[in-house]
């Protein structure tokens, strides 16, 4: 990304100023099953009540298909599920892991030296991805560590937006998952499930101005910490809602891009009768307009809707 994360979160404060009140059972292979639930239960009209039992998919690194070298290990055993696993075991402080998608969008991930794998999503669907890994030397200097390509064919198009990943991490034991289950208990369908989670996030999470001023480059959300503290920045709002909805089997994209001139984060989600809904923020009985939980928090619907308009204020750069 051209701008640092610190600029991202500091810039998000501009939205706060603009509106005065603020920017504002575990399984390892159920992506196909989750997609089937989504396709049958996320629509506007279903005969049975929504099943709020958590559907937490678990990224794995079984070692069946490996790439890399002595410093970087890349497990591509499950790329058909829409993700790869990577860990850096070298001597540097960290590496930059770049994933270039088939449509030539370049994603950047930071990997610290660790024995644990990080789940990195393949969000652009089928095609050839380029993996470019660079090892930190000093300051802003990185050296080439590894480069290769992978040909990806994803079994279920929803998988990359159902699994947890480095940007939106949650497990079966996360409080966020339990809360999402509580919030959606008794709703009739996916539409109401999205509404219940959305209302909770914008009502109970407040914008953290101090964090926005001090957050450092490479920051990653902790959804349970956001839930417990009741505050966060743009990234935290979007990640929390993404984790909640994914844990309910609802495909959700954490979107990163520009809101006007401001670097920002929001979400889009999938519903049976609507497909991918890119323009959600309030439901009038027939239509939704942009899911941007940060803007909605603490602002009047009329003010938010006026800013969002037809969605032209939003320029998408990345889906995580």
């Amino acid at each position: 990304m051209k701008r640092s994360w610190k600029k991202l979160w500091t810039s998000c404060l501009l939205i706060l100023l603009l509106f005065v009140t603020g920017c504002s059972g575990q399984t390892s292979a159920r992506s196909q099953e989750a997609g089937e639930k989504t396709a049958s239960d996320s629509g506007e009209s279903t005969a049975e009540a929504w099943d709020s039992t958590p559907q937490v998919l678990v990224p794995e690194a079984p070692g069946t298909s490996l790439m890399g070298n002595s410093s970087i290990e890349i497990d591509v055993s499950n790329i058909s599920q829409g993700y790869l696993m990577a860990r850096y075991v070298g001597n540097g402080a960290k590496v930059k892991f770049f994933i270039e998608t088939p449509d030539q969008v370049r994603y950047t991930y930071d990997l610290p030296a660790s024995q644990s794998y990080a789940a990195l999503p393949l969000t652009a669907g089928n095609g050839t991805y380029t993996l470019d890994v660079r090892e930190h030397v000093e300051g802003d200097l990185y050296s080439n560590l590894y480069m290769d390509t992978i040909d990806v064919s994803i079994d279920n198009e929803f998988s990359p937006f159902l699994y947890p990943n480095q940007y939106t991490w949650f497990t079966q034991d996360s409080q966020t998952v339990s809360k999402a289950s509580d919030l959606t208990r008794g709703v009739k369908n996916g539409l109401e499930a999205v509404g219940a989670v959305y209302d909770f996030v914008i009502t109970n999470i407040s914008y953290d101005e101090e964090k926005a001023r001090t957050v450092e480059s490479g920051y990653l959300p902790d959804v349970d910490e956001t839930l417990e503290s009741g505050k966060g920045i743009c990234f935290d709002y979007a990640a929390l809602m993404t984790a909640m909805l994914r844990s309910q089997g609802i495909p959700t994209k954490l979107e990163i891009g520009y809101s006007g001139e401001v670097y920002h984060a929001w979400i889009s989600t999938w519903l049976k009768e609507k497909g991918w809904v890119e323009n959600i923020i309030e439901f009038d009985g027939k239509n939704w307009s942009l899911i941007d939980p940060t803007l909605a928090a603490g602002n009047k619907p009329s003010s938010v809707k006026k800013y969002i308009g037809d969605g032209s204020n939003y320029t998408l750069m990345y889906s995580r």
Side-chain angles (χ1 to χ4, degrees):
M1 295 184 183
K2 294 183 179 179
R3 302 188 183 185
S4 70
W5 283 114
K6 188 169 184 178
K7 288 183 179 179
L8 187 165
W9 308 125
T10 302
S11 296
C12 191
L13 266 178
L14 295 179
I15 296 180
L16 173 72
L17 298 175
L18 179 64
F19 288 98
V20 181
T21 54
C23 202
S24 294
Q26 186 164 307
T27 176
S28 60
R30 290 179 57 192
S31 62
Q32 182 63 41
E33 180 180 335
E36 289 171 355
K37 171 184 173 178
T38 304
S40 62
D41 293 343
S42 297
E44 295 185 43
S45 60
T46 53
E48 298 180 359
W50 180 260
D51 180 1
S52 66
T53 304
Q55 295 190 39
V56 178
L57 305 180
V58 181
E60 294 183 333
T64 306
S65 182
L66 296 173
M67 302 172 66
N69 53 36
S70 60
S71 294
I72 184 71
E73 298 178 3
I74 308 170
D75 193 315
V76 294
S77 305
N78 290 317
I79 57 175
S80 65
Q81 300 303 307
Y83 69 90
L84 60 82
M85 303 290 278
R87 66 177 176 179
Y88 174 60
V89 293
N91 296 320
K94 61 181 178 180
V95 304
K96 293 285 186 183
F97 196 119
F98 301 100
I99 299 179
E100 185 172 306
T101 66
D103 51 356
Q104 298 183 324
V105 177
R106 193 171 176 84
Y107 286 70
T108 304
Y109 297 93
D110 288 318
L111 291 181
S114 175
Q115 293 302 309
S116 299
Y117 280 94
L120 308 182
L122 304 169
T123 57
N126 300 337
T128 300
Y129 290 73
T130 298
L131 311 181
D132 179 3
V133 188
R134 303 188 184 187
E135 189 173 34
H136 183 252
V137 179
E138 62 179 3
D140 294 330
L141 182 63
Y142 285 78
S143 62
N144 295 328
L145 180 62
Y146 181 80
M147 178 179 285
D148 208 338
T149 61
I150 52 174
D151 292 321
V152 175
S153 179
I154 298 176
D155 294 340
N156 180 347
E157 64 179 302
F158 298 120
S159 294
F161 309 107
L162 287 168
Y163 275 94
N165 60 48
Q166 189 194 54
Y167 272 52
T168 304
W169 185 253
F170 56 95
T171 69
Q172 182 72 32
D173 296 327
S174 297
Q175 290 301 309
T176 293
V177 170
S178 177
K179 186 63 178 181
S181 180
D182 291 342
L183 291 170
T184 57
R185 188 171 293 117
V187 304
K188 296 178 181 178
N189 49 44
L191 194 63
E192 290 190 5
V194 170
V197 169
Y198 178 71
D199 287 343
F200 172 82
V201 171
I202 67 170
T203 302
N204 293 277
I205 308 300
S206 59
Y207 190 74
D208 191 335
E209 299 181 49
E210 177 63 22
K211 188 174 185 178
R213 286 192 294 267
T214 59
V215 68
E216 297 182 356
S217 176
Y219 170 76
L220 293 172
D222 180 332
V223 293
D224 274 3
E225 192 280 331
T226 301
L227 180 66
E228 182 177 356
S229 68
K231 58 185 180 180
I233 54 179
C234 305
F235 203 176
D236 297 314
Y237 277 79
L240 177 59
M241 193 168 175
T242 296
M244 284 184 164
L245 293 176
R246 287 185 184 179
S247 74
Q248 282 294 298
I250 299 174
T252 303
K253 297 177 182 179
L254 193 163
E255 314 270 42
I256 298 172
Y258 288 92
S259 172
E261 296 297 319
V262 179
Y263 214 20
H264 194 43
W266 63 94
I267 76 168
S268 294
T269 192
W270 191 93
L271 297 170
K272 179 184 176 184
E273 299 301 327
K274 303 290 185 180
W276 281 108
V277 183
E278 310 291 346
N279 298 301
I280 290 185
I281 199 161
E282 96 183 338
F283 183 59
D284 63 9
K286 294 183 179 179
N287 301 297
W288 290 86
S289 62
L290 186 67
I291 286 188
D292 183 339
T294 316
L295 268 179
N299 289 297
K300 294 180 180 179
S302 58
S303 298
V304 177
K305 193 168 185 179
K306 180 179 179 181
Y307 177 76
I308 289 172
D310 61 4
S312 61
N313 285 325
Y314 287 75
T315 302
L316 175 64
M317 294 181 65
Y318 307 100
S319 293
R320 306 272 188 173

